[in-house]
């Protein structure tokens, strides 16, 4: 008995009809065969050397005997031959009750192809002597199937390759890539009509530029993305100018942009976002430091300086780096602390992030479609955003707390640590907080400041602030910045992204003439530039980056 299934309720099961002797089949030879099971098929039990016919009903097995066993065996053999499975003319797989297979190997091969075709994964449960059928397939179709292995793909494509020995992968898929560029104008038109208001690895390579923000629960909130031919000053300038036009031109709120200091990005920020404060990803700074000073072990001191929330702690960590290596100290000093250390961050922006891991999270969204046509990539991201906007809004509606879970968790941590702090205060709002083994800090409740700096940077009262607030008789949650409240979270996800109709319903459009931008009547793919070596789909990390990932993981 062979059972296949992809969950407890959806099982496809088969039983093997073992070979019989030729004398018992009227002189006919019979190879090992497999029959698709059903409620009305006969199940043959050949255990203990006896043949017994049982018919499966909904209530179980009901025994039945034949007066002429040889005749019944011959009829069964004829039924197996008459219902032998054959592939469809187009190569697809169809299964029906009564299908037989000449071998178990063929059965397994057909089932793998059928599972990939229908979009589910097979779960080989076990082999036994009992069979039964449960329901029908109701699981979601999967686009990725572990059964589609390299040997399986090679076997499927063997015929095409044998008849066309010079065929390449790009020949099979390039037509879709080229056609998608010609549909971009129609796609943009229907997208705007329905919604008013990382590297790409296909044959036509490109770069995915993105702007990712943090929501009030410290989750990613994609703002904009763009697929361009290369990463340079022009592409970043185009992207940043549009980003500023939509979210920055009429908004006087403080903005901080954290980046990896990519090519052309810094110049674009100076031109189009001159009033925004900038941060550099500390992980990439440390990777550059490791390349610049190989073998120098200052990782602990570097991250102390990076996470220091006040000037005293920052200078102390830097002095330790200086004691290790003067050149490394001077190299770090050339980078303004406001761009990589919490001690220099803008206090109006209530975020203490020192890395741009939010972009890494967004890049994971497109990992599975990096080598797909450009429209497939854009639609994949649009649908991800559409679903995410709805799910996040529905999640916020379930919260009973007026703070986000992220803010509540940080506040609870501060409250636990505040129990060890002694508070001394006079008549005003200034308090002195003391803890054994640590330096003393002054807290000003009305100004929302603490000398340690954490309250100003994060927007959540630190342990010193919580101790002072409780000493005064206040409630710490009332002093959390409004950026980190449920109300702000719901406002963030108030908008929506609407579905768009099928491609056949997209109207024909032409590019509108513009004095500043020359748009061709038909968008064509960029020129293909042959690169040395085999194309890589995975991003390569520097050794220092891998070290950081292991340290955090």
């Amino acid at each position: 008995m062979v059972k296949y299934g992809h969950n407890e309720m959806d099982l496809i099961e088969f039983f093997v009809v073992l070979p019989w002797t030729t004398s018992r089949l009227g002189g006919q030879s019979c190879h090992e065969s497999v029959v698709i099971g059903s409620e009305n098929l006969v199940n043959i039990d050949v255990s203990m050397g006896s043949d017994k016919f049982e018919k499966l009903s909904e209530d179980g097995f009901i025994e039945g005997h034949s007066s002429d066993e040889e005749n019944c065996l011959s009829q069964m053999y004829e039924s197996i031959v008459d219902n032998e499975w054959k592939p469809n003319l187009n190569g697809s797989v169809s299964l029906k009750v009564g299908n037989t297979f000449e071998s178990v190997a063929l059965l397994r091969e057909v089932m793998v192809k059928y599972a990939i075709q229908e979009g589910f994964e097979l779960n080989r449960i076990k082999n036994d002597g009992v069979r039964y059928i449960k329901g029908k397939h109701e699981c979601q179709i999967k686009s990725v199937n572990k059964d589609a292995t390299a040997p399986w793909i090679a076997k499927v494509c063997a015929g095409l390759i044998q008849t066309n020995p010079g065929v390449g992968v790009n020949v099979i898929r390039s037509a879709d890539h080229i056609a998608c560029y010609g549909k971009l104008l129609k796609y943009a038109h229907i997208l705007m009509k329905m919604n008013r208001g990382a590297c790409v690895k296909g044959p036509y390579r490109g770069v995915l530029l993105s702007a990712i923000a943090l929501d009030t629960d410290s989750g990613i909130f994609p703002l904009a993305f763009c697929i361009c031919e290369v990463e340079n000053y022009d592409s970043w300038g185009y992207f940043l100018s549009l980003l500023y036009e939509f979210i920055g031109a009429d908004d006087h709120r403080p903005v901080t942009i954290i980046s990896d200091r990519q090519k052309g990005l810094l110049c674009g920020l100076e031109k189009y976002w001159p009033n925004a404060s900038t941060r550099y990803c500390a992980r990439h700074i440390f990777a550059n430091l490791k390349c610049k000073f190989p073998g120098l072990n200052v990782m602990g001191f570097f991250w102390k300086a990076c996470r220091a929330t006040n000037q005293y702690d920052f200078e102390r960590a830097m002095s330790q780096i200086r004691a290790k290596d003067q050149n490394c100290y001077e190299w770090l000093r050339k980078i303004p602390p406001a761009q990589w250390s919490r001690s220099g961050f803008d206090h109006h922006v209530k975020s203490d992030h020192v890395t741009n891991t939010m972009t890494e999270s967004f890049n994971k969204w497109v990992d599975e479609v990096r080598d797909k046509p450009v429209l497939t990539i854009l639609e994949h991201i649009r649908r991800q955003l559409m679903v995410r906007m709805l799910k996040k809004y529905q999640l916020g509606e379930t919260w009973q707390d007026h703070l986000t879970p992220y803010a509540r968790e940080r506040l609870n941590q501060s409250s636990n640590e505040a129990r060890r702090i002694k508070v001394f205060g006079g008549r005003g709002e200034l308090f002195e907080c003391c803890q054994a083994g640590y330096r003393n800090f002054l807290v000003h409740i009305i100004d929302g400041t603490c000398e340690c700096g954490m309250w100003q940077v994060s927007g959540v009262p630190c342990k010193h602030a919580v101790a002072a607030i409780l000493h005064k008789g206040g409630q710490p949650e009332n002093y959390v910045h409004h950026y980190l409240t449920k109300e702000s979270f719901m406002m963030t996800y108030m908008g929506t992204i609407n579905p768009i109709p099928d491609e056949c319903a997209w109207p024909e459009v032409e590019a509108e003439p513009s004095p500043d931008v020359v748009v061709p009547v038909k968008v064509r793919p960029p020129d293909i530039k042959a690169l040395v070596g085999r194309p890589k789909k995975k991003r390569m990390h520097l050794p220092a980056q891998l070290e950081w990932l292991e340290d955090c993981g």
Side-chain angles (χ1 to χ4, degrees), residues 36 80-96 98-102 106 110 113:
I36 293 185
I80 291 175
V81 174
D82 293 340
N83 291 281
E84 183 178 1
W85 176 87
K86 295 180 180 180
N88 298 329
L89 296 178
N90 60 358
S92 62
V93 176
S94 296
L95 298 176
K96 65 179 181 179
N99 278 152
T100 61
F101 299 82
E102 64 180 15
L106 177 61
V110 171
K113 187 173 183 179

Side-chain angles (χ1 to χ4, degrees), residues 168-236:
V169 176
N170 290 338
V171 174
I172 301 174
R173 65 183 184 184
S174 288
D176 292 335
H177 284 269
I178 297 173
C180 282
Y181 280 93
K183 301 173 183 177
L184 285 178
L185 288 178
K186 294 197 296 182
Y187 176 75
H189 174 79
I190 195 65
L191 196 62
M192 290 186 291
K193 180 180 178 181
M194 299 302 296
N195 298 275
R196 298 192 180 275
C199 292
V200 182
K201 295 294 185 180
Y204 303 97
R205 295 177 179 271
V207 179
L208 178 66
L209 308 181
S210 61
I212 312 299
L214 286 175
D215 63 24
T216 62
D217 196 37
S218 195
I220 65 170
F221 186 85
L223 295 174
F225 60 92
C226 169
I227 297 179
C228 58
E229 185 175 356
V230 292
E231 185 180 11
N232 54 26
Y233 172 77
D234 292 334
S235 59
W236 273 116

Side-chain angles (χ1 to χ4, degrees), residues 184-197 379 382 496-509 512:
L184 285 178
L185 288 178
K186 294 197 296 182
Y187 176 75
H189 174 79
I190 195 65
L191 196 62
M192 290 186 291
K193 180 180 178 181
M194 299 302 296
N195 298 275
R196 298 192 180 275
E379 275 295 86
R382 181 190 65 83
T496 184
I497 298 177
N498 295 320
I500 63 175
D502 185 75
E503 180 184 338
C504 63
W506 297 357
E508 295 291 339
V509 295
E512 298 181 359

Side-chain angles (χ1 to χ4, degrees), residues 297-312:
N297 185 16
V298 294
M299 182 176 68
F301 301 142
F302 172 83
W303 288 108
K304 282 183 180 179
C306 179
R307 294 167 177 150
T309 54
N310 57 80
Q311 190 67 21
Y312 174 83

Side-chain angles (χ1 to χ4, degrees), residues 32 74 97 143 173 201 218 238 262 387 415 435 478 506:
E32 181 184 34
S74 298
V97 174
S143 58
R173 65 183 184 184
K201 295 294 185 180
S218 195
Y238 171 77
Q262 296 98 328
V387 174
S415 299
Q435 183 177 1
N478 295 334
W506 297 357

Side-chain angles (χ1 to χ4, degrees), residues 431 445 466-476 478-479:
F431 296 87
I445 296 179
V466 170
I469 293 170
L470 293 176
H471 178 79
K472 187 184 177 182
Q475 297 295 327
N478 295 334
Y479 292 85

Side-chain angles (χ1 to χ4, degrees), residues 417-476:
E417 296 174 353
R419 298 169 56 234
R420 299 177 177 87
I421 296 177
K422 293 183 178 181
V423 180
F424 304 91
R427 291 185 179 180
E429 300 295 330
L430 190 63
F431 296 87
E432 181 180 348
C433 299
C434 306
Q435 183 177 1
Y438 296 87
R439 55 176 289 212
N440 300 337
F441 293 96
L442 297 180
V443 175
H444 200 293
I445 296 179
I446 298 299
D447 293 342
T449 61
C450 176
E451 278 189 329
C452 78
M454 181 58 75
W455 190 4
Q456 299 92 294
V457 174
S458 66
V460 179
C462 60
K463 60 182 180 180
H464 313 102
V466 170
I469 293 170
L470 293 176
H471 178 79
K472 187 184 177 182
Q475 297 295 327

